[in-house]
Amino acid sequence: MAQRKNTSNGSSQKFTRKPARKPVRKISKKQQRIYRRRRIVAVIVLLAVIAALCGLVYGVVRGVQAVSGASADSSTSQSASASTDTSTKSSKSSSASSKSASAKPSESSKSASKSAKASASASSTKSKNPSIPSCTASDVSLDLTADTTTVAQGGKVNFKVVIKHDSKRDCVIDGSNASRILTITSGDNTVWRSDSCPVESRQLLMTGSDKDSQTIAWNTTSTGSECQAESARSKVDAGTYVAMLSVKDHPKIKSSPVTITVQ
């Protein structure tokens, strides 16, 4: 409470009482450590919240990019699939035709492959051992059959020609159309020969029970004295024709005749 004090000159002065100071609270070291830990935890929580917000923002951005990219890819794939439909259909058709052409190899192609290997083997063997003799009538025989014995003019007859090894000794024979010759005659006239055009040699080494099978097609045409393309050959007249196999330079090696009737 303020009190007045008389001064010597009779004036009075006012005195104000100063408030008492609050005592300073001292914090122990243990409490300081607790406060420090709380601050650290608060900072960690704040950093975690900031990281979560950043991750959320990043995820939203990536999602938007993914959606836009997916729509672009969809449009691109649709246009690509539309452009490849035509090529796919054409490739299927060509694949189907190629499969039908190569699905089942003919007997002639198999025998051709086999005879090619045999020819290479025969040539190699002959060069290494020139003492291997050529096949004679006592070593091999010829067999001739036709898929039909009656054919229309301009038609085709497929002959199956077979060389069989019959002896116990090995021998070499040329199995090409220029040496193992198919001849078609009408009376005393030769109408068609398989050696009318030059071909490469097919040296065959015949051992054991070896057998070489080939197919020769006759399109009911006649061959002249010179090699001609099949399209340039003339068609034979209606009548009876005889086909026979023989081996050049070995007249005793021949097949039984096969009669063909051209109507």
Side-chain angles (χ1 to χ4, degrees):
M1 186 176 176
Q3 295 181 355
R4 293 187 178 185
K5 185 177 180 182
N6 294 327
T7 59
S8 57
N9 53 6
S11 62
S12 61
Q13 293 180 350
K14 292 183 180 181
F15 295 92
T16 304
R17 181 180 296 177
K18 295 181 178 180
R21 290 184 178 180
K22 294 183 179 180
V24 178
R25 183 179 179 183
K26 293 184 179 180
I27 302 174
S28 63
K29 292 183 178 182
K30 182 177 180 180
Q31 289 177 334
Q32 290 178 357
R33 287 196 297 270
I34 292 173
Y35 293 152
R36 190 179 301 112
R37 290 175 185 173
R38 291 178 178 176
R39 293 191 187 97
I40 294 173
V41 170
V43 171
I44 292 173
V45 171
L46 180 61
L47 292 176
V49 171
I50 294 174
L53 291 175
C54 292
L56 181 62
V57 172
Y58 178 77
V60 171
V61 173
R62 292 291 295 177
V64 172
Q65 292 178 348
V67 170
S68 60
S71 61
D73 292 341
S74 176
S75 61
T76 303
S77 62
Q78 288 177 357
S79 60
S81 61
S83 63
T84 55
D85 281 343
T86 304
S87 60
T88 302
K89 291 180 181 178
S90 60
S91 64
K92 283 183 179 179
S93 60
S94 60
S95 175
S97 60
S98 62
K99 284 183 179 179
S100 62
S102 62
K104 187 177 180 180
S106 62
E107 183 179 354
S108 61
S109 64
K110 290 182 180 179
S111 59
S113 176
K114 183 178 179 181
S115 62
K117 293 180 181 178
S119 176
S121 175
S123 300
S124 176
T125 305
K126 187 74 174 176
S127 62
K128 292 180 180 179
N129 191 357
S131 63
I132 297 178
S134 298
C135 295
T136 64
S138 61
D139 299 316
V140 296
S141 60
L142 300 178
D143 185 28
L144 177 65
T145 56
D147 63 348
T148 181
T149 56
T150 303
V151 63
Q153 281 185 287
K156 182 172 71 171
V157 180
N158 291 315
F159 292 97
K160 182 179 180 181
V161 298
V162 180
I163 304 175
K164 297 179 181 178
H165 185 246
D166 301 323
S167 69
K168 294 182 179 180
R169 71 166 189 166
D170 298 345
C171 63
V172 176
I173 189 172
D174 184 0
S176 68
N177 288 340
S179 179
R180 185 263 298 116
I181 303 170
L182 174 62
T183 305
I184 299 175
T185 60
S186 177
D188 295 332
N189 298 322
T190 299
V191 176
W192 189 92
R193 291 176 62 93
S194 63
D195 62 344
S196 61
C197 292
V199 293
E200 294 183 359
S201 174
R202 289 178 60 245
Q203 294 296 323
L204 305 175
L205 175 62
M206 307 299 289
T207 63
S209 58
D210 284 348
K211 182 187 297 184
D212 177 71
S213 298
Q214 299 291 315
T215 300
I216 300 178
W218 179 46
N219 296 312
T220 59
T221 57
S222 60
T223 55
S225 58
E226 297 181 354
C227 178
Q228 291 179 315
E230 187 64 34
S231 59
R233 295 173 180 175
S234 59
K235 300 294 181 180
V236 298
D237 297 329
T240 301
Y241 298 85
V242 178
M244 181 179 291
L245 280 177
S246 61
V247 175
K248 187 177 181 181
D249 300 330
H250 293 278
K252 291 183 179 181
I253 307 177
K254 58 184 179 180
S255 70
S256 299
V258 176
T259 301
I260 304 296
T261 300
V262 178
Q263 297 177 341

